[in-house]
Amino acid sequence: MAPAVSRVELVPIFEDNYVFVLVDEGKKEALVVDPGEAKAVASYLQREGLSLKGILLTHHHSDHVGGVKELKSSFSAPVFAPQKNKNQISYADQFVKEGDEISVGGFSFSVMELPGHTLGHVAYWNQTKKWLFSGDVLFGLGCGRLFEGTYEQMYQSLQRIKSLPSETLVYCTHEYTETNLHFCKMLSNLDDSPITGDDEGLALYENELTNRRSLNLPSVPLKLFIEKKVNPFLLARNVQQFTYLRELRNKQ
Ligand code: ZN
Ligand code: FE
């Protein structure tokens, strides 16, 4: 018997969000991560004949949870949300925290708490596939804004992502990579740039990114191995450097 094939589908919503649908082809089952809107996700599930086994949430922002109630009531799937967002996401069925191991519809995840963008932000790590569903922490050549957490927290959260295996694929929620590329180029042109990354790596990144985006293909999932070489926020050597970069990026 051929092994069951599983894959991650990207359903674009709004301007630049992706909802991730994890599909188990053998069982025709699916999980959904951060459905900011229900309609596009529901039609994808129906078109593919998939039954929804669970909804995973990384944090409470409306572009990540906006479609949850509707999906939950149409498909009666359990909702997993960060323990620290118990007040904001009171309708969840199971609250998760650092170190929890959860098993949903044939997929297993370890929960990582990654505060900074919000205080309760979590990521879901699938060890078998080396998939990380990381919401708004790391982006292509960038990182999330700090709405609730401190620079120290965000820096440490990024360090934790950095310490995952190099072959990790990072499923981040937003298609911000091209905008972040401009920031990286500006940064490498500074006389006193604090970051020394891999310039050839960045040039290759740009070439591939331009090709993909001109074909309307996503830049997600990110390859952690590559981000570690070129993403300035992963190259920052300490909190001070990280803070400097994040503040500079805010001004853009
Ligand atoms: Zn957010
Ligand atoms: Fe977001």
Side-chain angles (χ1 to χ4, degrees), residues 58-64 117-118 121 135-136 139 147 174:
T58 62
H59 66 295
H60 62 84
H61 285 162
S62 63
D63 64 313
H64 297 247
H117 177 70
T118 63
H121 202 300
D136 292 353
F139 293 128
F147 284 105
H174 293 274

Side-chain angles (χ1 to χ4, degrees), residues 90-243:
S90 53
Y91 47 88
D93 300 283
Q94 193 174 324
F95 292 97
V96 298
K97 58 178 190 323
E98 175 65 33
D100 283 358
E101 303 285 337
I102 58 171
S103 191
V104 199
F107 293 96
S108 301
F109 305 92
S110 324
V111 176
M112 298 168 74
E113 289 187 356
L114 301 176
H117 177 70
T118 63
L119 285 174
H121 202 300
V122 300
Y124 298 89
W125 162 241
N126 182 289
Q127 165 89 43
T128 319
K129 294 284 190 178
K130 307 285 187 287
W131 291 341
L132 182 73
F133 298 91
S134 59
D136 292 353
V137 181
L138 182 72
F139 293 128
L141 301 176
C143 74
R145 270 176 196 277
L146 281 79
F147 284 105
E148 298 174 9
T150 63
Y151 289 104
E152 171 74 36
Q153 283 175 321
M154 191 59 154
Y155 176 72
Q156 294 305 338
S157 293
L158 290 166
Q159 290 298 306
R160 287 195 64 198
I161 292 181
K162 198 177 170 180
S163 71
L164 290 171
S166 280
E167 68 269 38
T168 297
L169 296 175
V170 180
Y171 289 87
C172 62
T173 300
H174 293 274
E175 184 61 66
Y176 288 159
T177 316
E178 286 160 299
T179 317
N180 290 331
L181 175 70
H182 296 302
F183 176 70
C184 289
K185 290 169 91 172
M186 182 277 281
L187 202 61
S188 55
N189 288 332
L190 288 179
D191 290 336
D192 55 348
S193 178
I195 297 299
T196 37
D198 175 349
D199 286 343
E200 287 180 328
L202 189 64
L204 175 61
Y205 196 116
E206 178 175 12
N207 198 356
E208 190 188 13
L209 180 67
T210 310
N211 281 325
R212 290 189 66 82
R213 298 303 294 146
S214 66
L215 294 167
N216 216 9
L217 293 170
S219 66
V220 177
L222 314 173
K223 298 160 183 153
L224 185 57
F225 176 75
I226 308 287
E227 292 297 322
K228 274 159 69 163
K229 293 178 188 295
V230 293
N231 186 318
F233 299 94
L234 291 180
L235 290 166
R237 285 185 296 275
N238 50 49
V239 190
Q240 289 71 28
Q241 267 192 359
F242 172 73
T243 305

